[in-house]
Amino acid sequence: MTEDDGLICAYLLDGRGGGRPIGWTEIASWRPQDGLLWVHLDRAGIEARQWLQQDSGLDPVTAGALLAEDVRPRELRVEDALLVVLRGVNLNPGADPEDMVGIRIWLEPTRIVTVRHRRLMAISNLREALATGRGPTSPGQFLITLSARLIERVGPVIDDLVDEVDRLEDTVVTAHSADLRGALGSLRRQAIALRRYLAPQREVMARLAMEQTSWLQPDDKAYLREVSDRTTRFVEDLDAARERAGVVQDELGSRISDQMNRTMYLLTVVAAVLLPPSL
């Protein structure tokens, strides 16, 4: 592997929670009877793109979807396989959490292909779990683990946003209007950006829980419904935070209007007092 080939990692899972790292040579010689294969690629890599388009055995439409630049959460069943696109908060240094990172996932009974461009902590967690023998043992468990890790990291970001709205509600009477209006506008933009991807992701998780494939077990679907419920709660929290920020903005606008009216009244009184001498 080199920095430009696009192969971030690949594992041959043992079905007991562990996995053996492999490279391009073993990927090329892999057969379904060898065990569950996971290939994780950077879509910007030249060899990764070539493998997906020419050597992976995927049809051109699926390969194109995995390599697409801008993706929204979606889910599509192709015979006994699933194409899933999910988003996670961007926790890379210097990045805004609401600039959510996309992960494209192709799941078959004996093979998993994931494609990303920017780093996701959830993938790092999966690799660590495989190294310690506590990783997924099937495509269904892989999907559950990855989606759960993604939504776990959304929670603290939304909690911080809600706490900030609480703080601004308490300080609306004393805070400087210009500073408060800027903070409220930033919070609303952050809530809108997060909801843009979380709302469709909620629908994706709900649909996954109802998919009929040979490798998604009833327990897998129950866990997927749990992830869907958590995503729904986060979307509702974002809606509530955005509405509360709007109410605070309205209150702030009303206070500013009252201040302006009092100022204009005072200026009118001063003008009325000074006008006769000036005449």
Short mmCIF file of all heavy atoms in Angstrom, two decimals, residues 53-78:
data_model
loop_
_atom_site.label_atom_id
_atom_site.label_comp_id
_atom_site.label_asym_id
_atom_site.label_seq_id
_atom_site.Cartn_x
_atom_site.Cartn_y
_atom_site.Cartn_z
N GLN A 53 -14.12 0.20 -10.04
CA GLN A 53 -14.73 0.30 -11.37
C GLN A 53 -14.46 -0.90 -12.26
O GLN A 53 -15.28 -1.21 -13.12
CB GLN A 53 -14.24 1.58 -12.06
CG GLN A 53 -14.69 2.86 -11.37
CD GLN A 53 -14.01 4.10 -11.92
OE1 GLN A 53 -12.90 4.02 -12.47
NE2 GLN A 53 -14.64 5.25 -11.77
N GLN A 54 -13.32 -1.60 -12.04
CA GLN A 54 -12.94 -2.64 -12.98
C GLN A 54 -12.80 -4.03 -12.37
O GLN A 54 -13.10 -5.03 -13.02
CB GLN A 54 -11.61 -2.26 -13.65
CG GLN A 54 -11.65 -0.94 -14.41
CD GLN A 54 -10.30 -0.55 -14.97
OE1 GLN A 54 -9.38 -1.37 -15.03
NE2 GLN A 54 -10.16 0.71 -15.37
N ASP A 55 -12.32 -4.10 -11.13
CA ASP A 55 -11.94 -5.40 -10.57
C ASP A 55 -12.83 -5.89 -9.44
O ASP A 55 -12.68 -7.04 -9.00
CB ASP A 55 -10.49 -5.35 -10.06
CG ASP A 55 -9.52 -4.91 -11.15
OD1 ASP A 55 -9.72 -5.32 -12.31
OD2 ASP A 55 -8.57 -4.16 -10.83
N SER A 56 -13.72 -5.05 -8.93
CA SER A 56 -14.53 -5.44 -7.77
C SER A 56 -15.71 -6.32 -8.12
O SER A 56 -16.29 -6.96 -7.23
CB SER A 56 -15.02 -4.18 -7.05
OG SER A 56 -15.93 -3.47 -7.89
N GLY A 57 -16.09 -6.33 -9.40
CA GLY A 57 -17.27 -7.09 -9.80
C GLY A 57 -18.57 -6.34 -9.60
O GLY A 57 -19.65 -6.88 -9.85
N LEU A 58 -18.50 -5.09 -9.14
CA LEU A 58 -19.70 -4.29 -8.95
C LEU A 58 -20.14 -3.69 -10.28
O LEU A 58 -19.30 -3.38 -11.14
CB LEU A 58 -19.44 -3.17 -7.94
CG LEU A 58 -19.06 -3.60 -6.53
CD1 LEU A 58 -18.71 -2.39 -5.68
CD2 LEU A 58 -20.17 -4.41 -5.88
N ASP A 59 -21.44 -3.50 -10.44
CA ASP A 59 -21.93 -2.88 -11.67
C ASP A 59 -21.56 -1.40 -11.68
O ASP A 59 -21.30 -0.80 -10.62
CB ASP A 59 -23.45 -3.06 -11.79
CG ASP A 59 -24.19 -2.34 -10.68
OD1 ASP A 59 -24.43 -1.12 -10.81
OD2 ASP A 59 -24.53 -2.99 -9.67
N PRO A 60 -21.51 -0.77 -12.84
CA PRO A 60 -21.06 0.62 -12.93
C PRO A 60 -21.89 1.60 -12.10
O PRO A 60 -21.35 2.57 -11.56
CB PRO A 60 -21.18 0.94 -14.43
CG PRO A 60 -21.07 -0.40 -15.11
CD PRO A 60 -21.73 -1.37 -14.17
N VAL A 61 -23.19 1.35 -11.98
CA VAL A 61 -24.04 2.26 -11.20
C VAL A 61 -23.65 2.22 -9.73
O VAL A 61 -23.51 3.25 -9.06
CB VAL A 61 -25.52 1.91 -11.39
CG1 VAL A 61 -26.39 2.77 -10.48
CG2 VAL A 61 -25.94 2.09 -12.84
N THR A 62 -23.45 1.01 -9.20
CA THR A 62 -23.06 0.87 -7.80
C THR A 62 -21.68 1.46 -7.55
O THR A 62 -21.47 2.19 -6.57
CB THR A 62 -23.07 -0.61 -7.39
OG1 THR A 62 -24.39 -1.14 -7.57
CG2 THR A 62 -22.66 -0.76 -5.93
N ALA A 63 -20.73 1.16 -8.44
CA ALA A 63 -19.38 1.72 -8.29
C ALA A 63 -19.42 3.24 -8.34
O ALA A 63 -18.73 3.92 -7.56
CB ALA A 63 -18.47 1.17 -9.39
N GLY A 64 -20.24 3.80 -9.24
CA GLY A 64 -20.37 5.26 -9.31
C GLY A 64 -20.95 5.85 -8.05
O GLY A 64 -20.54 6.93 -7.60
N ALA A 65 -21.94 5.15 -7.45
CA ALA A 65 -22.54 5.64 -6.20
C ALA A 65 -21.52 5.62 -5.06
O ALA A 65 -21.51 6.52 -4.22
CB ALA A 65 -23.75 4.80 -5.84
N LEU A 66 -20.66 4.61 -5.04
CA LEU A 66 -19.65 4.54 -3.99
C LEU A 66 -18.58 5.61 -4.15
O LEU A 66 -17.94 6.01 -3.17
CB LEU A 66 -18.99 3.16 -3.99
CG LEU A 66 -19.87 1.99 -3.54
CD1 LEU A 66 -19.16 0.67 -3.77
CD2 LEU A 66 -20.25 2.12 -2.07
N LEU A 67 -18.38 6.08 -5.38
CA LEU A 67 -17.34 7.07 -5.64
C LEU A 67 -17.89 8.49 -5.76
O LEU A 67 -17.12 9.42 -6.00
CB LEU A 67 -16.59 6.71 -6.93
CG LEU A 67 -15.73 5.45 -6.87
CD1 LEU A 67 -15.23 5.08 -8.26
CD2 LEU A 67 -14.56 5.63 -5.91
N ALA A 68 -19.19 8.65 -5.60
CA ALA A 68 -19.80 9.98 -5.76
C ALA A 68 -19.21 10.96 -4.76
O ALA A 68 -18.87 10.61 -3.62
CB ALA A 68 -21.31 9.89 -5.57
N GLU A 69 -19.08 12.21 -5.19
CA GLU A 69 -18.42 13.22 -4.36
C GLU A 69 -19.32 13.71 -3.24
O GLU A 69 -18.94 13.72 -2.07
CB GLU A 69 -17.98 14.39 -5.23
CG GLU A 69 -17.26 15.48 -4.44
CD GLU A 69 -16.69 16.56 -5.33
OE1 GLU A 69 -16.79 16.42 -6.56
OE2 GLU A 69 -16.14 17.54 -4.80
N ASP A 70 -20.53 14.15 -3.57
CA ASP A 70 -21.44 14.70 -2.57
C ASP A 70 -22.63 13.76 -2.43
O ASP A 70 -23.38 13.56 -3.39
CB ASP A 70 -21.91 16.11 -2.98
CG ASP A 70 -22.69 16.79 -1.88
OD1 ASP A 70 -22.58 16.35 -0.72
OD2 ASP A 70 -23.43 17.75 -2.18
N VAL A 71 -22.79 13.17 -1.28
CA VAL A 71 -23.83 12.17 -1.07
C VAL A 71 -24.69 12.53 0.14
O VAL A 71 -24.20 13.06 1.13
CB VAL A 71 -23.23 10.76 -0.89
CG1 VAL A 71 -22.63 10.26 -2.19
CG2 VAL A 71 -22.17 10.76 0.21
N ARG A 72 -25.96 12.21 0.03
CA ARG A 72 -26.87 12.33 1.16
C ARG A 72 -27.22 10.93 1.64
O ARG A 72 -27.12 9.96 0.87
CB ARG A 72 -28.15 13.08 0.74
CG ARG A 72 -27.92 14.56 0.52
CD ARG A 72 -29.17 15.22 -0.06
NE ARG A 72 -30.31 15.13 0.84
CZ ARG A 72 -30.53 15.97 1.85
NH1 ARG A 72 -29.66 16.94 2.09
NH2 ARG A 72 -31.59 15.84 2.61
N PRO A 73 -27.62 10.79 2.90
CA PRO A 73 -27.99 9.46 3.40
C PRO A 73 -29.05 8.80 2.53
O PRO A 73 -30.05 9.42 2.18
CB PRO A 73 -28.52 9.76 4.80
CG PRO A 73 -27.78 10.99 5.22
CD PRO A 73 -27.66 11.81 3.98
N ARG A 74 -28.81 7.56 2.18
CA ARG A 74 -29.74 6.81 1.34
C ARG A 74 -29.54 5.33 1.56
O ARG A 74 -28.54 4.91 2.16
CB ARG A 74 -29.53 7.14 -0.14
CG ARG A 74 -28.13 6.89 -0.63
CD ARG A 74 -27.95 7.17 -2.10
NE ARG A 74 -28.67 6.24 -2.94
CZ ARG A 74 -28.30 5.93 -4.18
NH1 ARG A 74 -27.23 6.51 -4.72
NH2 ARG A 74 -28.98 5.08 -4.90
N GLU A 75 -30.47 4.54 1.06
CA GLU A 75 -30.40 3.09 1.20
C GLU A 75 -31.06 2.46 -0.02
O GLU A 75 -32.10 2.91 -0.48
CB GLU A 75 -31.11 2.65 2.48
CG GLU A 75 -31.17 1.16 2.71
CD GLU A 75 -32.45 0.53 2.17
OE1 GLU A 75 -33.44 1.27 1.95
OE2 GLU A 75 -32.46 -0.71 1.96
N LEU A 76 -30.40 1.44 -0.58
CA LEU A 76 -30.91 0.79 -1.78
C LEU A 76 -30.56 -0.69 -1.71
O LEU A 76 -29.40 -1.06 -1.48
CB LEU A 76 -30.30 1.42 -3.03
CG LEU A 76 -30.68 0.79 -4.37
CD1 LEU A 76 -32.17 1.01 -4.65
CD2 LEU A 76 -29.83 1.35 -5.50
N ARG A 77 -31.56 -1.52 -1.92
CA ARG A 77 -31.32 -2.97 -1.97
C ARG A 77 -31.14 -3.40 -3.41
O ARG A 77 -31.95 -3.06 -4.28
CB ARG A 77 -32.47 -3.75 -1.32
CG ARG A 77 -32.23 -5.25 -1.30
CD ARG A 77 -33.14 -5.93 -0.30
NE ARG A 77 -34.54 -5.82 -0.65
CZ ARG A 77 -35.20 -6.72 -1.39
NH1 ARG A 77 -34.57 -7.78 -1.85
NH2 ARG A 77 -36.47 -6.54 -1.66
N VAL A 78 -30.07 -4.15 -3.66
CA VAL A 78 -29.78 -4.70 -4.98
C VAL A 78 -29.68 -6.22 -4.82
O VAL A 78 -28.66 -6.74 -4.35
CB VAL A 78 -28.47 -4.13 -5.56
CG1 VAL A 78 -28.23 -4.68 -6.95
CG2 VAL A 78 -28.52 -2.61 -5.58
#
